[in-house]
Amino acid sequence: MNNSTRREVLKLIGGLGLLPSTSVFAQDADRTALRIAMQDLRVELDPLHPRATALVSFRVLESIYDKLFAIDFQRDGQIRPMLAESIEALDSTTYRLTLRKEVRFHDGEELTAEDVAFTFGAERMLAKDSPGFGVGQISFPSMSAVRATGRHTVEFSTKAPDPVFVKRLTSYGGGIVSKSAYLKATTFDQWARAPIAAGPYRVVEAVENRYMRLEAHDGYWGGRPPLKGIEFRMVREPASRVAGLRAGDFDIITTVAPDQFDILVADNRLDVVGGDTMSFRTLVYDSTTNEVLRDPRIRRAMNLAIDRQTIVNSIWRKRISVPPSHQHPAYGALYNPDRPIPRYNPEEAKRLLAEAGYNGAAIPFKTVGNYYTAELIETQAIAAMWRAVGLNVDIQMKENWAQVEDRLGRGVNNSSDGTYYPDPTASFVSRWGSQSNFQRGAYWRNDRFNVLETTLLTAQDPAQRRAAYQEMLDIFDEIDPPGTVLHSLGEFFGKRANIKWAPTPTGLMDFRPGAINA
């Protein structure tokens, strides 16, 4: 083993003294069940299920699954052990991992190396015909093999050196499942509706478009879960969630719009938590099937016509920020603080439209209107900015995401890029890269961008990775934009004031020991 590599890995995972505090373990008061109103619910609860790749699902899965490692946001984004105790690099493409002992699944069975190997293995994720292959390739594109080498030791192999392999194990898709319980299910869909994992809460019931119930897993390795249970309820309309919180029907509500802040904080029984997250609120452009958007000058003009700071100041009341492109300070050496926020220059936008010979053809802007916070008012504001420079934008309200993403009549739609570990591979590559659903769905392709992606994914030298990443951002922002970053993905939650809790910097909901006092 290369000594420097080993030191880097050990430095990466930090110390082992990061278990929940003893004060939490000692907590033995009567527990309450939490009622949470969300804008959407997906009853497929395996993180590799295609329907589960949404922020609303990640929020639920966070309570069901534990991973091998986690990001410690209280310690500058360091990696901390979770179900694993340690990891070491045997060479540039092989890692040996030692598991925590006496970890129990929701059904009481012990978690062993066989379960870890199965979770990432060919039957569930690695083989092309396995049910989790598509989503697994987004989170773990470099993984080539995994094998149990002992009851509590596992070895992972990658196709090529992967500078962020350990960080990937903290990402979605990394939740460990019970092999024996998985094999008892007759179909992947059946399994996904009642999975057996090792997180702090187990699934009791999931009813499509209505509710989901979890109860405490009292055999949880990390200590007694602080909640008796959690009930997630689907309440589509933002005003209905606010009304339900004020009426005492819910304890927490998600996706609170800024114009509802005053209503909630005026009630001393309630408050609002949240703000910037590491994720990005974006727009995506279809530059392959939409004839107008095929010309990059049109897309550059669209980006120049958006006054992001005014959107943040007026709609978001300055509670969130506009990042300098698709990057975050937590990316460390890869982050460029000198890169400006996306430019606002309507005169340059008009010039580009004239140069492109834009003839006023309509550009469809499809939206469901209420998935993202303030989605409809932002859609209307952006359309107004585009019209002000001469673009003919047609806002089309849709009932669901299948209609939004239908290739027929595709142009612009709202989106977001979830960032669940601090590296651009977490959302920039997975969302816009060569293997992303975006490129595979024929929205856009740029060969130079994809060449640079290889360097970002495999180079061991941070300087090489940074140079590749920054050139990819040049393409993203100025040369051939596939979409744009509007602002950080602001996430606000309304809650009862006597609940001591806040969302993670990723916008997820953690209800593990030490994370909530209800």
Side-chain angles (χ1 to χ4, degrees):
M1 173 186 172
N2 181 300
N3 287 335
S4 62
T5 302
R6 179 174 184 171
R7 282 197 298 273
E8 288 167 4
V9 170
L10 293 175
K11 180 181 177 183
L12 189 63
I13 66 172
L16 299 181
L18 295 168
L19 295 175
S21 68
T22 53
S23 62
V24 170
F25 278 68
Q27 189 179 58
D28 197 29
D30 289 340
R31 293 178 295 183
T32 187
L34 213 59
R35 303 158 299 171
I36 302 173
M38 300 172 59
Q39 74 271 38
D40 194 8
L41 286 178
R42 314 281 175 92
V43 295
E44 292 79 8
L45 298 171
D46 187 300
L48 296 185
H49 196 288
R51 283 201 75 213
T53 57
L55 179 60
V56 290
S57 294
F58 299 156
R59 286 176 173 159
V60 175
L61 300 181
E62 186 67 20
S63 289
I64 300 171
Y65 291 90
D66 270 5
K67 301 160 190 167
L68 297 171
F69 296 95
I71 301 294
D72 189 343
F73 292 105
Q74 304 303 316
R75 299 191 181 199
D76 298 326
Q78 288 185 31
I79 292 178
R80 66 176 172 86
M82 204 172 202
L83 295 177
E85 288 185 331
S86 64
I87 188 168
E88 62 179 332
L90 302 182
D91 54 44
S92 63
T93 59
T94 311
Y95 298 85
R96 178 186 293 150
L97 184 147
T98 302
L99 297 177
R100 191 180 299 280
K101 297 181 178 63
E102 299 300 324
V103 173
R104 298 287 169 180
F105 283 115
H106 297 155
D107 59 2
E109 294 296 315
E110 183 188 5
L111 185 153
T112 71
E114 287 291 338
D115 297 296
V116 175
F118 180 82
T119 294
F120 297 98
E123 196 165 351
R124 180 170 177 269
M125 193 190 82
L126 271 188
K128 286 187 177 178
D129 58 352
S130 61
F133 180 76
V135 178
Q137 286 301 296
I138 297 173
S139 291
F140 308 103
S142 63
M143 194 180 293
S144 61
V146 53
R147 54 193 174 278
T149 55
R151 186 167 180 78
H152 296 103
T153 55
V154 185
E155 284 188 7
F156 288 95
S157 299
T158 60
K159 302 168 192 170
D162 181 349
V164 294
F165 179 74
V166 184
K167 289 183 178 179
R168 292 186 188 282
L169 296 175
T170 72
S171 186
Y172 69 88
I176 304 303
V177 305
S178 163
K179 175 181 178 180
S180 62
Y182 183 102
L183 293 176
K184 289 175 185 173
T186 56
T187 66
F188 186 56
D189 283 348
Q190 182 194 55
W191 155 261
R193 285 174 176 256
I196 300 296
Y201 301 90
R202 75 177 100 232
V203 179
V204 176
E205 187 178 19
V207 179
E208 182 79 33
N209 293 328
R210 292 187 60 196
Y211 61 85
M212 240 177 266
R213 291 189 180 124
L214 312 182
E215 66 178 10
H217 170 36
D218 285 334
Y220 182 56
W221 68 271
R224 187 172 183 249
L227 300 172
K228 180 180 179 181
I230 308 169
E231 180 171 304
F232 299 93
R233 300 181 188 175
M234 182 169 140
V235 181
R236 184 78 76 185
E237 293 301 321
S240 299
R241 294 195 295 275
V242 170
L245 182 64
R246 297 180 71 195
D249 295 332
F250 315 127
D251 303 300
I252 294 176
I253 62 173
T254 64
T255 318
V256 176
D259 62 0
Q260 297 165 325
F261 291 173
D262 291 344
I263 297 173
L264 294 177
V265 299
D267 187 332
N268 60 15
R269 301 169 305 158
L270 310 174
D271 62 17
V272 177
V273 292
D276 274 334
T277 69
M278 287 174 54
S279 300
F280 305 89
R281 175 73 165 83
T282 57
L283 297 176
V284 300
Y285 307 146
D286 183 339
S287 59
T288 59
T289 64
N290 187 294
E291 289 291 336
V292 177
L293 297 179
R294 193 163 292 175
D295 190 328
R297 292 171 295 185
I298 303 291
R299 286 175 271 133
R300 286 157 55 194
M302 293 168 74
N303 288 354
L304 287 164
I306 301 172
D307 186 349
R308 295 163 180 78
Q309 201 60 59
T310 292
I311 290 174
V312 164
N313 292 349
S314 59
I315 296 177
W316 291 89
R317 303 182 182 191
K318 303 181 182 179
R319 295 283 293 267
I320 62 171
S321 61
V322 180
S325 188
H326 205 296
Q327 55 170 2
H328 190 279
Y331 295 174
L334 275 62
Y335 179 76
N336 177 8
D338 297 326
R339 179 175 283 276
I341 67 171
R343 288 188 297 149
Y344 170 57
N345 189 334
E347 295 307 313
E348 176 68 4
K350 291 177 184 175
R351 188 193 68 76
L352 282 169
L353 292 178
E355 182 181 297
Y358 174 62
N359 62 5
I363 301 172
F365 189 167
K366 298 195 285 187
T367 178
V368 295
N370 57 10
Y371 183 82
Y372 297 110
T373 304
E375 180 176 350
L376 182 57
I377 190 172
E378 282 200 329
T379 299
Q380 293 168 333
I382 293 164
M385 292 171 183
W386 283 342
R387 288 172 186 141
V389 298
L391 288 161
N392 179 11
V393 184
D394 176 25
I395 296 177
Q396 298 179 6
M397 299 301 300
K398 300 297 179 183
E399 295 179 358
N400 53 57
W401 280 98
Q403 293 178 2
V404 169
E405 294 170 351
D406 189 337
R407 285 195 185 195
L408 186 63
R410 216 162 55 181
V412 182
N413 60 263
N414 291 301
S415 189
S416 66
D417 300 350
T419 306
Y420 301 110
Y421 61 86
D423 192 90
T425 53
S427 60
F428 191 54
V429 170
S430 62
R431 187 67 180 84
W432 307 92
S434 62
Q435 299 305 307
S436 66
N437 289 335
F438 183 71
Q439 285 204 38
R440 293 196 295 179
Y443 277 86
W444 174 83
R445 178 182 175 85
N446 183 291
D447 291 339
R448 177 61 183 165
F449 186 94
N450 292 346
V451 168
L452 293 164
E453 173 194 283
T454 301
T455 302
L456 179 61
L457 288 171
T458 61
Q460 300 297 296
D461 181 355
Q464 279 186 290
R465 296 191 73 219
R466 187 181 198 273
Y469 174 44
Q470 293 299 321
E471 186 178 342
M472 291 170 78
L473 290 177
D474 292 341
I475 295 170
F476 182 87
D477 288 334
E478 300 284 350
I479 299 171
D480 184 16
T484 191
V485 171
L486 291 176
H487 47 70
S488 77
L489 185 66
E491 288 291 343
F492 293 91
F493 299 75
K495 68 176 183 65
R496 289 196 288 112
N498 61 349
I499 297 175
K500 305 305 178 188
W501 173 85
T504 72
T506 58
L508 298 184
M509 298 189 293
D510 181 6
F511 300 120
R512 291 179 175 81
I516 183 170
N517 187 344

